[in-house]
């Protein structure tokens, strides 16, 4: 078999944040597969076929990519940010689990800079101590589980990064999450709304939880909530590495 499959992260938007390893895989590829806006970031060239597909068809997309690799194509499946963070790598492995014949293929995961790390770097160092990442989309898990995880993370005094915070189809959910956070963390806790990081539309705002509103986030925003020790220093926000865990409630 001469085909291969790379599952690659394109980073948050700026092409300078694409790793050389990912650029090399794209330069060698015969086929690029992915969600429409991510494939649109790949420059067309002779010998390269682009396969954009709609959202919410991750498993079909993974199967199509694996089928092409098994036929001898050199395939890159692209995700934004990192492919292992709420993205295509897990979908490819799910397809592999269901079709063991594909497990002999040459498959590699190529990391990228995930949105929360790009956002944290712009803000300062809000993830400098222990933190977690939670996807607020209820497409693949129940809303009650999301709320339980937010309560648990806030209760353990993790800084938190929220992906997919708010969409048109679930505009209420993020307001509810902000309410839970205000109860758990109090009104002074710092929240960073980082939109379209590393693109020309980038906008980064830091507010106290008291002043945070659902409208401050959309699907191009990653939201970072600090822990109890997170604070401002000049125009930056950081979480000291020496922060002690909050006393249990
Ligand atoms: C399906 S997830 C994909 C995450 C991606 N794999 C990553 O590692 O960043 C999409 C969410 O990532 C976040 N996101 C992706 N790119 C972003 C950017 N440039 N600025 C802010 N948030 C971003 C948003 O929360 C968005 O709703």
């Amino acid at each position: 078999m001469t085909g291969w499959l790379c599952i690659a992260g394109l980073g948050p938007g700026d092409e300078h944040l694409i790793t050389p390893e990912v650029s090399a895989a794209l330069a060698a590829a015969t086929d690029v597969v992915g969600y429409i806006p991510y494939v649109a970031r790949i420059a067309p060239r002779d010998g390269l076929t682009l396969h954009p597909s709609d959202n919410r068809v991750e498993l079909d997309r993974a199967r199509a990519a694996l089928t092409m690799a098994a036929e001898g194509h050199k395939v890159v499946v692209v995700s934004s940010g990192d492919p292992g963070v709420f993205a295509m790598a897990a979908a490819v492995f799910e397809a592999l689990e269901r079709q063991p014949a594909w497990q002999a293929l040459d498959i590699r995961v190529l990391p990228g800079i995930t949105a929360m790390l790009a956002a944290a770097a712009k803000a300062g160092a809000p993830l400098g101590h222990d933190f977690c990442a939670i996807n607020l989309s209820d497409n693949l898990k129940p809303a009650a589980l999301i709320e339980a995880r937010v309560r648990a993370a806030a209760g353990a005094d993790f800084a938190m990064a929220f992906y997919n915070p708010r969409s048109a189809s679930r505009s209420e959910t993020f307001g509810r999450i902000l309410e839970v956070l205000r109860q758990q963390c109090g009104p002074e806790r710092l929240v960073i709304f980082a939109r379209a990081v590393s693109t020309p539309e980038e906008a980064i705002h830091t507010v106290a939880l008291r002043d945070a509103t659902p409208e401050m986030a959309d699907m191009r925003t990653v939201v970072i909530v600090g822990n109890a020790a997170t604070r401002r220093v000049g125009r930056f926000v950081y979480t000291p590495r020496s922060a002690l865990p909050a006393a249990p409630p």
Side-chain angles (χ1 to χ4, degrees):
M1 274 189 289
T2 54
W4 48 255
L5 179 75
C6 286
I7 314 156
L10 297 178
D14 184 344
E15 67 179 54
H16 294 103
L17 298 182
I18 299 176
T19 68
E21 182 182 45
V22 169
S23 296
L26 289 167
T30 57
D31 299 84
V32 170
V33 174
Y35 179 36
I36 297 163
Y38 307 152
V39 173
R41 291 174 57 184
I42 308 303
R45 61 169 167 79
D46 287 347
L48 177 67
T49 306
L50 301 177
H51 303 267
S53 50
D54 208 347
N55 210 358
R56 300 198 185 189
V57 293
E58 285 89 353
L59 207 51
D60 292 341
R61 187 186 296 143
R63 286 196 197 97
L66 285 157
T67 301
M68 283 192 284
E71 290 169 353
H73 295 233
K74 296 167 178 157
V75 184
V76 179
V77 176
V78 289
S79 291
S80 73
D82 182 89
V85 179
F86 311 129
M88 280 304 295
V92 170
F93 291 119
E94 193 175 335
L96 268 190
E97 204 171 34
R98 295 179 189 201
Q99 180 63 271
W102 282 329
Q103 291 174 14
L105 285 169
D106 176 2
I107 297 172
R108 284 180 302 145
V109 181
L110 311 183
I113 297 177
T114 188
M116 71 176 173
L117 299 185
K122 292 289 171 117
L127 303 179
H129 204 276
D130 298 338
F131 65 90
C132 66
I134 300 178
N135 187 341
L136 295 186
S137 168
D138 59 6
N139 284 347
L140 299 171
K141 61 189 171 187
L145 178 62
I146 297 171
E147 186 173 322
R149 286 187 175 161
V150 171
R151 280 187 189 282
D157 199 29
F158 282 105
M160 294 162 268
F162 297 126
Y163 286 72
N164 293 300
R166 185 163 175 265
S167 72
S169 63
R170 50 179 174 84
S171 52
E172 307 297 307
T173 316
F174 187 53
R176 170 79 194 133
I177 293 295
L178 286 177
E179 198 44 51
V180 168
L181 289 168
R182 274 190 279 269
Q183 288 164 12
Q184 299 267 128
C185 307
E188 303 300 331
R189 186 66 58 89
L190 290 180
V191 188
I192 300 160
F193 291 88
R195 182 173 192 278
V197 176
S198 88
T199 79
E201 295 84 44
E202 177 178 292
I204 298 178
H205 300 292
T206 302
V207 298
L209 248 181
R210 173 198 331 107
D211 301 319
T213 65
E215 295 72 29
M216 290 175 172
D218 65 9
M219 286 301 276
R220 294 189 72 192
T221 308
V222 65
V223 180
I224 296 177
V225 178
N227 74 9
T230 303
R231 49 194 182 251
R232 295 182 190 264
V233 52
R235 66 182 186 282
F236 299 106
V237 176
Y238 91 111
T239 303
R241 294 186 64 197
S242 58
L244 294 172

